[in-house]
Amino acid sequence: DQVNFTTKGTYIKVGFDYNSFQNWGNMENIISVGLRYGVSSFSQTLNTYTIYDPTNYYGENTIVSGEKFNGLTASWLEVVGGIKAKIVNNFYLGFSVRLNYLVSNKRADNFDNLYIPGFNRTYDGKFGAGFNYTLSYMIPIYKKK
C-alpha cells in the first residue's frame, strides 16, 4: 500500500512436460509434471511512495518520484504439475500449479524488484507459486488410424 510502481518487460520460459497418464481408446487427456527455466528482462518505474510516520500529526507524506530503473534481469526454475481433459471434440479444459525458485535477480541499488514478469510478485523471497487454468483447442494436423 505504501509503494506505487510500474513494471515493463519481457520473459521467456523453456522446458518440458511429461505425461504420466496412460490414455485408453481415443482419449487424449493429460496428467503432467514438468520443469521450466525462465529468464526476464525488465524495467521498473517508482511512481509514488508514502513515508509512514505514526507521530506525524498532519497525515502521511506521499512523495511523487517517477524514478526509472532500467536493465533489470532475473532467472528462475519452475516445477509444474497439471491436468488437461477433453470436454468436447478438440477442446480441452485444464489447470496447473507452479512452484518457482528464483536463481538470479539483478536489482537496482536503492529499489528492490517487487514484480518480475513471468515470475510474479517476489514478496522479499526466492520462492513463488502460481495457478493457471486453460481452455485450449487442438488443431488436428493428422489423424491416428
Side-chain angles (χ1 to χ4, degrees):
D1 292 340
Q2 311 302 115
V3 180
N4 179 309
F5 65 97
T6 304
T7 303
K8 292 181 181 178
T10 60
Y11 69 93
I12 186 168
K13 293 185 204 179
V14 178
F16 68 92
D17 284 335
Y18 172 73
N19 184 8
S20 60
F21 185 67
Q22 296 296 327
N23 287 296
W24 58 87
N26 286 341
M27 293 178 64
E28 294 171 341
N29 298 330
I30 296 172
I31 299 176
S32 65
V33 293
L35 187 64
R36 311 266 191 284
Y37 180 74
V39 178
S40 181
S41 174
F42 56 100
S43 66
Q44 291 193 36
T45 304
L46 176 59
N47 301 322
T48 61
Y49 61 95
T50 303
I51 298 174
Y52 176 71
D53 183 5
T55 62
N56 188 354
Y57 178 75
Y58 299 105
E60 297 177 332
N61 297 323
T62 299
I63 298 172
V64 176
S65 172
E67 188 174 359
K68 190 167 187 171
F69 305 98
N70 294 315
L72 306 174
T73 59
S75 64
W76 63 93
L77 287 172
E78 193 171 85
V79 176
V80 182
I83 295 174
K84 192 181 287 187
K86 186 186 233 182
I87 51 176
V88 293
N89 197 22
N90 293 336
F91 278 98
Y92 295 85
L93 183 64
F95 71 89
S96 66
V97 176
R98 302 170 183 277
L99 301 174
N100 306 333
Y101 176 74
L102 201 55
V103 175
S104 68
N105 187 7
K106 181 181 173 192
R107 300 179 179 103
D109 292 334
N110 56 349
F111 189 66
D112 199 12
N113 294 334
L114 302 175
Y115 180 86
I116 299 171
F119 182 84
N120 216 344
R121 293 286 311 241
T122 58
Y123 293 110
D124 205 22
K126 289 187 169 258
F127 289 96
F131 176 80
N132 289 351
Y133 60 91
T134 59
L135 177 62
S136 54
Y137 178 77
M138 182 182 70
I139 299 171
I141 297 173
Y142 68 92
K143 189 172 183 175
K144 286 183 182 180
K145 293 183 179 185

